[in-house]
Amino acid sequence: VTSSRRKNRKRYFNAPSHIRRKLMSSPLSKELRAKYSVRSMPIRKDDEVQVIRGHYKGQQVGKVVQCYRKKFVIYIERIQREKANGASVNVGIHPSKVVIVKLKMDKDRKKILERKAKSRLQADKGKHTEESIMETS
């Protein structure tokens, strides 16, 4: 584990696909966060997302059409632009700049959510509160 900027950038840009999946994670919406007690998830093809940063931010919700791991971007349903010749192309958006509004559920994803929620509960178990500190002193 290094704190060198050069080495971290090298590892980020040369990461293999299975590691890029985790790097391409998106935060969950407030409702989903409360429901599953999980903060973020690796994004996948049929999730519904909302862009919260950049030129395309807004209230409309779009479905993820493609996760392009090689370019670290995702393509969203109605987020397109016109090319000079009139053709419309999808605009790539980094997954950290969107929020997941609806998850595409399957058994593997359910397992991930349960595992993350369980570790979250165990993390709170060992924490000291102000009351417990006052009682011991």
Side-chain angles (χ1 to χ4, degrees):
V1 184
T2 180
S3 57
S4 161
R5 177 173 162 84
R6 174 205 265 190
K7 288 179 186 174
N8 278 320
R9 284 175 59 83
K10 181 177 188 220
R11 291 200 177 109
Y12 179 83
F13 291 112
N14 294 329
S17 182
H18 72 285
I19 291 170
R20 283 187 186 216
R21 176 179 161 272
K22 291 199 99 166
L23 290 172
M24 290 176 65
S25 292
S26 296
L28 269 57
S29 68
K30 292 244 178 1
E31 295 82 40
L32 289 178
R33 200 185 300 177
K35 185 177 176 186
Y36 298 115
S37 69
V38 170
R39 192 173 180 86
S40 65
M41 280 286 282
I43 202 154
R44 65 168 289 184
K45 191 176 176 182
D46 290 319
D47 288 343
E48 288 185 15
V49 297
Q50 182 181 346
V51 182
I52 48 172
R53 283 283 181 272
H55 185 269
Y56 296 96
K57 75 175 173 192
Q59 294 305 311
Q60 88 267 27
V61 173
K63 198 179 243 182
V64 177
V65 180
Q66 183 187 10
C67 288
Y68 204 147
R69 287 189 194 165
K70 190 176 183 185
K71 292 186 177 179
F72 286 106
V73 295
I74 58 170
Y75 295 130
I76 303 168
E77 216 168 40
R78 288 178 291 278
I79 295 182
Q80 297 172 324
R81 67 184 296 245
E82 292 279 310
K83 282 175 44 169
N85 65 5
S88 66
V89 289
N90 288 317
V91 176
I93 291 173
H94 194 271
S96 69
K97 305 302 173 200
V98 302
V99 65
I100 300 174
V101 179
K102 187 164 170 243
L103 291 164
K104 180 178 194 293
M105 269 303 175
D106 55 13
K107 63 180 197 309
D108 296 321
R109 213 119 194 251
K110 208 163 259 171
K111 208 181 281 182
I112 291 167
L113 282 170
E114 285 167 10
R115 190 178 67 225
K116 282 185 133 187
K118 195 173 76 179
S119 68
R120 190 87 175 245
L121 288 170
Q122 288 175 344
D124 292 341
K125 195 170 67 181
K127 286 204 175 129
H128 288 294
T129 58
E130 284 189 34
E131 292 86 47
S132 65
I133 295 166
M134 292 301 215
E135 288 167 10
T136 55
S137 60

